């Protein structure tokens, strides 16, 4: 009886320790993979041998790592590429706006989002992002208009729905 209790206790302990260890190892491998890709991309860019897609991937990795000031010149360089597809240029403007917004430079962010929307007026992510920037600048009416515009293009957009409902309540006259 005493021996079975010890075996049960040890089994439970092993399971309890194995689960977090597995998650830690998985996260370590993910980080290692991203860091390896980041290093390869930076080396390729240093040789000026990179494609627009590789620049975009590097910028995206930098955004994921919250290295916004390092991502900004990458996205600016993408925008200046000759012969770039409009869709990629819109993505780059949106990502650049996101980097500025993350640094609380909302005027610059709004400018970039507007450039993305000039290229693709139905770009719902850029509409949501510009709405967020307008909200941060306390431009509630403009934010509501943008979110409603996003809902015209994508009626099930959760972000636009949630934010527009919240803003309508804020703008509604109190009784």
């Amino acid at each position: 009886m005493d021996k079975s209790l010890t075996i049960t206790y040890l089994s439970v302990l092993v399971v309890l320790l194995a689960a977090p260890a597995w998650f830690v190892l998985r996260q370590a491998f993910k980080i290692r993979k991203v860091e390896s890709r980041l290093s390869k991309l930076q080396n390729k860019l240093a040789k000026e041998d990179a494609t627009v897609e590789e620049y975009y991937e590097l910028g995206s990795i930098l955004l994921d790592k919250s290295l916004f000031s390092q991502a900004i010149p990458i996205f600016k360089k993408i925008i200046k590429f000759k012969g770039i597809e409009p869709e990629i240029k819109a993505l780059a403007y949106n990502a650049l706006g996101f980097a500025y917004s993350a640094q609380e430079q909302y005027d610059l962010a709004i400018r970039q989002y507007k450039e993305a929307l000039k290229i693709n007026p139905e770009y719902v992510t850029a509409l949501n992002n510009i709405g967020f920037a307008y909200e941060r600048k306390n431009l509630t009416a403009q934010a509501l208009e943008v979110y409603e515009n996003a809902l015209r293009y994508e009626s099930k957009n959760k972000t636009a729905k949630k934010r527009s409902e919240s803003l309508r309540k804020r703008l509604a006259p109190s009784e």
Side-chain angles (χ1 to χ4, degrees):
M1 179 79 170
D2 202 68
K3 197 172 190 175
S4 66
L5 183 62
T6 305
I7 290 172
T8 304
Y9 173 75
L10 288 174
S11 298
V12 169
L13 184 63
V14 166
V15 168
L16 288 175
L17 292 175
W22 182 79
F23 285 111
V24 168
L25 284 173
R26 195 174 123 212
Q27 190 65 24
F29 282 123
K30 267 187 193 176
I31 291 170
R32 185 167 184 241
K33 183 179 175 184
V34 169
E35 291 298 324
S36 173
R37 185 66 184 148
L38 177 63
S39 177
K40 286 178 185 175
L41 287 169
Q42 286 176 326
N43 289 337
K44 204 164 189 185
L45 265 61
K47 296 175 188 172
E48 297 195 12
D49 188 31
T51 65
V52 173
E53 289 79 11
E54 289 169 326
Y55 273 95
Y56 188 82
E57 184 180 359
L58 175 62
S60 296
I61 290 171
L62 293 171
L63 288 180
D64 287 343
K65 293 173 67 69
S66 299
L67 299 172
F68 306 112
S69 60
Q70 292 178 27
I72 288 171
I74 300 295
F75 289 115
K76 283 182 175 181
K77 192 163 188 169
I78 293 171
I79 291 165
K80 292 178 184 175
F81 262 83
K82 302 286 186 233
I84 185 175
E85 291 181 36
E87 188 68 25
I88 293 174
K89 198 170 200 174
L91 288 170
Y93 274 119
N94 184 64
L96 183 57
F98 180 83
Y100 283 129
S101 184
Q103 295 179 326
E104 298 182 2
Q105 296 177 352
Y106 300 115
D107 291 326
L108 291 171
I110 290 168
R111 189 176 313 144
Q112 304 313 312
Y113 297 139
K114 284 182 177 181
E115 289 297 322
L117 292 168
K118 281 182 193 174
I119 296 167
N120 181 2
E122 297 179 17
Y123 189 6
V124 176
T125 303
L127 288 167
N128 284 341
N129 289 342
I130 199 170
F132 172 82
Y134 281 146
E135 281 189 79
R136 291 290 180 225
K137 289 183 55 74
N138 292 318
L139 301 171
T140 309
Q142 290 94 323
L144 178 59
E145 181 183 337
V146 169
Y147 287 129
E148 287 177 347
N149 195 16
L151 288 170
R152 279 192 216 84
Y153 295 119
E154 192 178 296
S155 61
K156 294 181 180 178
N157 184 303
K158 290 179 184 177
T159 302
K161 236 181 219 183
K162 181 180 171 185
R163 297 306 313 142
S164 64
E165 288 171 6
S166 173
L167 293 174
R168 271 192 221 102
K169 289 176 186 174
R170 202 180 313 167
L171 288 174
S174 50
E175 296 177 41

